[in-house]
């Protein structure tokens, strides 16, 4: 069953776009938009691709998913993944370390028990036993003051809806690989996550919710670099975070405008 007609009508209204506005952007008659939304006609592939771009929705979701009734596809409850974990002699979960060199292999092997057994494992005290943890070694300087080689410990989240805007996460994605970023959750608005580096020399970018394979909420880090108050930035204040969010909204308007 195709939901193209109902999804087109629903998403157009949600974005505050009139039939005339959409017709102008697609270079078709307004009556053609009405025909699309009534199911009396279907757009050609080129037009369909442009509709998908304008409404910020994937073709599969636009055609096959009832967005008005079920909500955006990225917000649907995900099937629980069976994580490969390691335990010690006391049956306590160890933390598996994914090093810089192993991150590319992890993208293909995170569900393979034999591959996971080849990665280093360790245990840390004082972490809640109510979560499963994994460690990732940072590459690059996009998240200063955490330097390359810093190990970030993340707690596993099984649902994308658990991502809270402004917090930092390790994401395992089909498009970007393994990344550690400050994440802003726009899944309800456009089915995407907005990824921001703490180092402002790196531009923010988006990933589709369906491209995210795993999410690990940052809980701790291990580093051989001891902070020097004289050359580190001051802690992020609520005012700083508010300004960051305003800047991000401005960037989003430019991207989607």
């Amino acid at each position: 069953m195709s939901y193209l007609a109902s999804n087109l009508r629903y998403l157009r209204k949600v974005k505050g776009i009139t039939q005339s506005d959409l017709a102008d952007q697609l270079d078709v008659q307004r009556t053609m938009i009405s025909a699309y939304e009534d199911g009396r006609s279907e757009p050609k592939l080129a037009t369909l691709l442009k509709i998908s771009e304008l409404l910020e929705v994937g073709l599969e979701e636009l055609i096959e998913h009832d967005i008005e009734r079920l909500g955006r596809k990225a917000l649907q409850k995900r099937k629980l993944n069976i994580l490969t974990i390691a335990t010690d002699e006391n049956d306590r979960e160890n933390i598996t370390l994914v090093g810089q060199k192993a991150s590319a292999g992890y993208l293909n092997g995170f569900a393979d028990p034999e591959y996971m057994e080849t990665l280093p494992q360790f245990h840390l005290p004082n972490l809640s036993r109510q979560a499963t943890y994994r460690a990732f070694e940072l590459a690059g300087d996009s998240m200063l003051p955490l330097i390359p080689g810093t190990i970030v410990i993340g707690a596993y989240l099984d649902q994308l809806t658990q991502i809270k805007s402004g917090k930092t996460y390790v994401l395992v994605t089909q498009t970007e690989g393994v990344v550690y970023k400050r994440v802003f959750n726009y899944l309800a608005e456009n089915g995407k996550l907005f990824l921001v580096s703490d180092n402002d020399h790196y531009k923010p970018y988006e990933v589709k919710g369906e491209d995210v394979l795993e999410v690990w909420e940052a809980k701790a880090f291990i580093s051989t670099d001891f902070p020097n108050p004289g050359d580190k930035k001051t802690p992020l204040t609520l005012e700083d975070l508010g300004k960051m969010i305003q800047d991000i909204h401005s960037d989003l308007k430019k991207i989607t405008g």
Side-chain angles (χ1 to χ4, degrees):
M1 179 178 181
S2 173
Y3 295 98
L4 174 61
S6 59
N7 283 340
L8 175 56
R9 180 172 57 252
Y10 173 72
L11 290 175
R12 176 182 61 76
K13 291 180 178 179
V14 166
K15 290 186 174 295
I17 302 173
T18 66
Q19 287 187 341
S20 296
D21 290 338
L22 185 57
D24 289 342
Q25 294 183 73
L26 296 176
D27 196 24
V28 299
Q29 298 293 321
R30 188 203 63 79
T31 53
M32 187 60 72
I33 303 299
S34 178
Y36 294 160
E37 293 185 354
D38 291 340
R40 292 181 285 109
S41 179
E42 291 188 354
K44 296 179 180 179
L45 179 58
T47 303
L48 193 59
L49 289 170
K50 196 164 185 181
I51 290 172
S52 172
E53 181 181 343
L54 290 171
L55 298 181
E56 298 183 290
V57 59
L59 283 179
E60 181 182 353
E61 183 175 6
L62 180 62
I63 297 171
E64 300 180 1
H65 183 70
D66 189 346
I67 298 175
E68 184 173 10
R69 184 173 67 87
L70 301 175
R72 293 303 300 258
K73 192 173 181 180
L75 292 175
Q76 305 309 299
K77 191 168 185 180
R78 297 166 64 132
K79 294 180 180 178
L80 294 180
N81 291 330
I82 299 176
L83 289 176
T84 300
I85 60 174
T87 58
D88 62 14
E89 62 276 7
N90 297 315
D91 205 31
R92 295 182 303 176
E93 285 190 19
N94 280 334
I95 300 172
T96 299
L97 171 62
V98 182
Q100 292 181 19
K101 293 181 179 179
S103 60
Y106 182 79
L107 189 61
N108 298 315
F110 66 90
D112 181 356
E114 290 186 6
Y115 169 78
M116 293 299 296
E117 286 178 1
T118 67
L119 299 178
Q121 300 162 11
F122 63 97
H123 179 73
L124 282 178
N126 302 326
L127 288 177
S128 169
R129 295 190 181 183
Q130 303 304 310
T132 293
Y133 300 94
R134 195 144 292 168
F136 298 86
E137 184 182 11
L138 299 189
D141 62 352
S142 68
M143 292 301 287
L144 292 175
L146 297 186
I147 64 169
T150 298
I151 296 171
V152 173
I153 315 297
Y156 181 69
L157 300 184
D158 57 22
Q159 301 298 328
L160 296 184
T161 52
Q162 296 172 294
I163 295 175
K164 298 177 181 178
S165 291
K167 290 186 174 294
T168 56
Y169 299 85
V170 174
L171 301 182
V172 181
T173 73
Q174 294 178 343
T175 53
E176 301 295 330
V178 181
V179 297
Y180 173 61
K181 298 292 180 185
R182 195 170 298 278
V183 181
F184 292 81
N185 190 336
Y186 291 97
L187 296 173
E189 290 85 349
N190 57 23
K192 298 177 182 178
L193 298 172
F194 200 61
L195 276 54
V196 180
S197 299
D198 284 350
N199 183 344
D200 56 14
H201 286 93
Y202 291 80
K203 291 184 178 180
Y205 59 92
E206 298 173 320
V207 295
K208 296 178 181 178
E210 57 262 37
D211 289 338
V212 178
L213 303 173
E214 287 185 348
V215 180
W216 300 86
E217 182 180 358
K219 292 294 184 181
F221 68 89
I222 302 170
S223 176
T224 57
D225 178 61
F226 286 83
N228 182 347
D231 60 14
K232 299 296 182 185
K233 292 182 178 179
T234 56
L236 195 67
T237 66
L238 288 176
E239 183 179 352
D240 293 332
L241 187 56
K243 185 176 184 305
M244 180 187 293
I245 293 173
Q246 287 181 344
D247 291 341
I248 288 169
H249 277 297
S250 297
D251 288 337
L252 271 177
K253 288 181 180 178
K254 293 178 183 176
I255 292 172
T256 59

